[in-house]
């Protein structure tokens, strides 16, 4: 083979290698390069720290300033990262606006993340300066780990752990968080079958009137009984809200409630008004009302027999017009309760505007009654406002007789809590209505 021909071949091979390993926008290595280079470093004995760095709202930047500027920005970010780390360290662009860094040797995480943040959160392209926000996931790898992909996954998990926490620029991987993620995926794998296998059961917690001492309402609370184990709502509801399975579960609970009300009506003259929890995801789902009305029709249930509980947090939303949705619900003659009132930072203005009937005072306020009655002053304020706005009040999580007396003094309407009853199975609820011992 002549020399000229060989040279051409080498050049061609180098160009192909470049394509396979170099990111054309930043000139840094790409994902493949990151895998290879990090793998090489893992063979060394020293400590390594892997950081995944993500530019928040890069899409918005691209839209606002165009792709050319967007690409220039990525290039500048790459440069700044390079300046912030040592020559022996690695930085590559893994995808869109995500950079992978691998630091060798002892690293002060606080210090390096702060340095990266300072360099990138205010960055220039030529003469023009931009403000950016970045978020980082950190994994400190001091064991003898060789699996690059699993190391990157851990840094990504650490990054996920700060999702939604806008004031926290970085998260560090912990075993605890990994356990949480594993548990979450276990729950997600079981949820569909759980509905099919009827593992969800609806319990009812009585609400007792402070005036008549009788049960006037009951809250439907779902339980997940899996064989011998019970999984608690505080664990699975937030997961279902995240993956939207809650829309299915809320509907399932609502149907069970309608079925149970229909049965109670054939047996008793007076039955409690049942309140049902509706997550925000269900509330804003398309056809929410139509679906629920259809279920009610099937069991011959009137809207007056049901109260819908919506957490205070769901009413504070800038994207969707919750008020419109609530007005529609109200037009259909449902009553609406604001759940966990006092925890969601809603404004007094909102209380006046929203078509609500009931305020459920959060347990955290009730708990203060025992410590110091003066600290319970907020309850007095809430009671005062409720009376002015003609709202019914329900105190939840009431555990002691002192709390009951205090709430009676301030004319709270209904009391729900262990002081009277824990949530009951439907069969027990019927006995309770009859006045039988449970
Ligand atoms: P929540 O709506 O605030 O329900 C009240 C919770 O306080 C219930 O917990 C209830 O069992 C508990 N509780 C009642 N009285 C007392 C008391 O005296 N002391 C204490 N320490 N706790 C008391 P649970 O059943 O574990 O439910 C937790 C949360 O899960 C509920 O909080 C609600 O937000 C959610 N949830 C339950 N069922 C459903 C459902 O069907 N759909 C939706 N979307 N959420 C539900
Ligand atoms: Ca509730
Ligand atoms: Ca509540």
């Amino acid at each position: 083979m002549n020399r000229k021909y060989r040279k051409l071949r080498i050049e061609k091979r180098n160009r192909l290698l470049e394509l396979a390993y170099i990111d054309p926008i930043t000139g840094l290595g790409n994902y493949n390069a990151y895998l290879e280079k990090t793998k090489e470093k893992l063979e060394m004995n020293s400590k390594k720290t892997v950081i995944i760095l993500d530019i928040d709202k890069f899409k918005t930047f691209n839209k606002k300033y165009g792709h050319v500027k967007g690409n220039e920005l990525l290039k500048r970010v790459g440069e700044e990262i390079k300046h912030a780390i040592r020559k022996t360290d690695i930085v590559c662009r893994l995808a869109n606006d995500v950079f992978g860094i691998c630091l060798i040797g002892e690293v002060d995480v606080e210090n390096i993340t702060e340095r990266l943040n300072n360099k990138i959160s205010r960055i220039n392209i030529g003469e023009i300066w931009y403000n950016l926000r970045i978020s980082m996931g950190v994994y400190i790898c001091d064991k003898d780990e060789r699996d690059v992909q699993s190391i990157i996954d851990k840094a990504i998990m650490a990054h996920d752990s700060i999702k939604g926490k806008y004031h926290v620029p970085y998260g560090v991987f912990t075993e605890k968080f990994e356990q949480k993620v594993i548990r979450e995926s276990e729950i997600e794998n079981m949820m569909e079958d759980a509905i099919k296998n009827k593992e969800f059961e609806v319990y009812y917690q009585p609400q007792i009137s402070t005036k008549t001492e009788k049960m006037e309402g009951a809250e439907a609370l779902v339980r997940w009984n899996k064989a011998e184990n019970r999984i608690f709502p505080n664990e699975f509801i937030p997961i279902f809200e995240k993956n939207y399975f809650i829309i299915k579960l809320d509907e399932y609970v609502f149907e069970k409630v309608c079925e149970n009300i229909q049965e109670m009506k054939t047996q008793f003259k007076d039955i409690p008004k049942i309140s049902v929890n509706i997550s925000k995801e269900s509330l804003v789902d398309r056809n929410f009302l139509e679906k629920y009305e259809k279920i009610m029709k099937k069991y011959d249930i009137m809207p007056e027999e049901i109260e819908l509980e919506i957490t205070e947090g769901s009413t504070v939303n800038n994207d969707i017009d919750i008020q419109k949705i609530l007005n529609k619900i109200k037009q259909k003659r449902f009553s609406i309760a604001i759940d966990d009132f006092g925890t969601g930072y809603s404004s007094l203005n909102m209380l006046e505007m929203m078509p609500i009937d009931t305020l459920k005072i959060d347990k955290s306020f009730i708990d203060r009654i025992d410590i110091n009655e003066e600290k319970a002053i907020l309850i007095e304020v809430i009671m005062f406002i409720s009376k002015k706005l003609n709202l019914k009040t329900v105190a939840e999580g009431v555990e002691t007789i002192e709390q009951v007396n205090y709430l009676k003094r301030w004319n709270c309407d209904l009391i729900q809590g262990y002081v009277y009853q824990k949530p009951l199975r439907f069969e027990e609820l019927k006995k309770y209505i009859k006045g039988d011992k449970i």
Side-chain angles (χ1 to χ4, degrees):
M1 201 186 300
N2 73 34
R3 214 189 295 159
K4 190 174 141 205
Y5 195 64
R6 194 181 305 147
K7 200 174 151 215
L8 265 176
R9 256 183 60 168
I10 292 174
E11 268 176 18
K12 189 173 170 201
R13 200 193 66 194
N14 285 347
R15 250 206 322 277
L16 281 174
L17 272 178
E18 231 179 76
L19 279 179
Y21 287 100
I22 302 283
D23 162 39
I25 291 175
T26 59
L28 300 172
N30 62 11
Y31 188 74
N32 292 336
Y34 188 70
L35 288 183
E36 296 245 323
K37 286 185 181 174
T38 309
K39 197 166 176 192
E40 259 170 42
K41 299 287 182 193
L42 289 180
E43 317 268 305
M44 295 164 36
N45 271 328
S46 63
K47 199 167 169 179
K48 297 112 206 151
T49 303
V50 168
I51 302 180
I52 298 294
L53 184 149
D54 183 297
I55 306 172
D56 294 352
K57 301 229 163 90
F58 178 64
K59 252 198 211 139
T60 316
F61 184 96
N62 253 341
K63 260 198 197 141
K64 197 164 163 192
Y65 301 105
H67 283 271
V68 175
K69 270 272 174 298
N71 288 351
E72 281 177 44
L73 182 79
L74 291 173
K75 188 156 181 260
R76 285 287 298 117
V77 170
E79 282 167 8
E80 289 301 338
I81 297 175
K82 244 180 159 170
H83 288 152
I85 63 179
R86 285 170 299 204
K87 280 224 160 57
T88 44
D89 299 334
I90 302 167
V91 53
C92 295
R93 188 169 76 107
L94 307 186
N96 302 327
D97 52 352
V98 181
F99 293 81
I101 301 166
C102 179
L103 309 166
I104 315 300
E106 278 303 321
V107 169
D108 179 344
V109 171
E110 177 93 39
N111 189 296
I112 181 74
T113 48
E114 193 179 321
R115 199 158 52 199
L116 287 166
N117 204 11
N118 286 342
K119 281 192 178 288
I120 303 170
S121 58
R122 203 170 143 64
I123 196 165
N124 69 310
I125 302 175
E127 303 279 283
I128 305 173
W129 290 83
Y130 299 90
N131 293 321
L132 292 182
R133 202 169 53 208
I134 59 167
S135 49
M136 293 165 273
V138 181
Y139 177 54
I140 303 160
C141 159
D142 46 9
K143 285 177 276 174
D144 187 23
E145 287 187 64
R146 294 290 163 95
D147 183 348
V148 190
Q149 195 53 57
S150 118
I151 286 169
I152 297 175
D153 287 347
K154 285 175 181 167
I156 293 175
M157 248 187 246
H159 182 253
D160 287 348
S161 74
I162 55 159
K163 253 191 196 140
K165 297 182 188 164
Y166 294 118
H167 50 285
V168 186
Y170 72 95
V172 179
F173 175 87
T174 60
E175 299 288 336
K176 204 172 127 212
F177 188 73
E178 186 183 30
Q179 289 307 320
K180 198 178 140 209
V181 173
I182 293 173
R183 177 72 181 149
E184 259 187 49
S185 77
E186 261 174 29
I187 287 187
E188 292 193 321
N189 288 334
M190 299 187 298
M191 64 192 189
E192 293 282 356
D193 284 343
I195 287 220
K196 270 190 236 135
N197 301 338
K198 300 201 165 30
E199 289 167 6
F200 292 109
E201 187 180 351
V202 180
Y203 280 54
Y204 295 91
Q205 186 173 35
Q207 297 171 332
I208 311 297
S209 156
T210 51
K211 297 192 188 65
T212 63
E213 301 269 345
K214 291 210 175 82
M215 168 167 57
E216 282 188 5
E219 176 177 7
L221 292 159
V222 69
R223 296 287 174 265
W224 184 355
N225 299 315
K226 186 152 185 68
E228 299 294 285
N229 298 322
R230 168 170 289 178
I231 308 170
F232 288 92
N234 285 340
E235 185 175 13
F236 65 79
I237 300 276
I239 299 174
F240 292 175
E241 287 180 337
K242 241 190 326 189
N243 65 22
Y244 294 93
F245 187 69
I246 194 70
I247 297 177
K248 220 170 172 176
L249 182 63
D250 277 350
E251 202 181 317
Y252 178 84
V253 170
F254 189 79
E255 171 143 15
K256 262 278 162 263
V257 165
C258 289
E259 193 188 313
N260 290 164
I261 294 178
Q262 188 186 43
E263 187 187 325
M264 283 194 284
K265 282 201 290 195
T266 62
Q267 298 182 20
F268 309 107
K269 196 159 62 48
D270 270 338
I271 61 165
K273 183 167 192 152
I274 307 292
S275 39
V276 189
N277 291 287
I278 305 289
S279 280
K280 182 169 126 200
E281 290 70 20
S282 303
L283 195 66
V284 302
D285 186 39
R286 261 186 338 127
N287 306 333
F288 154 76
L289 258 182
E290 288 81 355
K291 273 195 303 196
Y292 279 51
E293 283 188 303
K294 213 167 142 194
I295 297 172
M296 286 164 59
K297 214 166 166 194
K298 181 169 160 196
Y299 296 95
D300 203 13
I301 305 293
M302 295 290 141
E304 290 82 0
E305 294 170 282
I306 290 177
E307 180 157 79
L308 301 179
E309 282 191 18
I310 291 148
T311 59
E312 189 188 13
S314 359
T315 62
V316 188
N317 187 313
N318 302 326
D319 309 334
I320 296 157
D321 199 344
I322 297 287
Q323 194 178 344
K324 241 192 202 155
I325 299 174
L326 295 187
N327 283 338
K328 248 171 96 183
I329 296 178
K330 193 70 220 168
Q331 272 165 19
K332 302 279 183 187
R333 307 197 317 276
F334 284 100
S335 69
I336 302 172
I338 297 295
D339 202 358
D340 304 342
F341 185 72
T343 61
Y345 311 105
S346 57
S347 63
L348 292 177
N349 188 27
M350 167 227 117
L351 272 189
E352 210 182 358
M353 310 258 291
M354 299 272 181
I356 50 186
D357 306 271
T358 305
L359 282 190
K360 294 195 77 176
I361 306 168
D362 191 65
K363 184 175 192 312
S364 55
F365 292 100
I366 310 300
D367 289 343
R368 295 183 194 187
I369 297 173
D370 288 338
I371 309 166
N372 181 345
E373 283 214 358
E374 235 162 63
K375 283 209 176 140
I377 187 156
L378 279 174
I379 297 186
E380 295 166 32
V381 175
I382 296 174
M383 298 309 300
F384 178 79
I385 295 169
S386 315
K387 292 286 164 287
K388 285 275 173 222
L389 295 176
N390 243 335
L391 302 173
K392 193 168 84 183
T393 44
V394 182
E396 58 180 356
V398 181
E399 293 178 346
T400 68
I401 213 66
E402 289 76 26
Q403 292 170 338
V404 172
N405 289 336
Y406 179 91
L407 290 161
K408 278 186 176 164
R409 187 141 39 94
W410 290 97
N411 290 322
C412 179
D413 298 301
L414 296 180
I415 289 181
Q416 177 184 348
Y418 296 167
V419 69
Y420 288 121
Q421 271 304 333
K422 294 205 164 173
L424 306 171
R425 304 187 102 111
F426 180 54
E427 291 307 318
E428 294 171 323
L429 176 77
K430 286 188 292 182
K431 282 190 194 161
Y432 189 78
I433 298 177
K434 262 195 242 165
D436 288 356
K437 265 210 151 27
I438 301 162

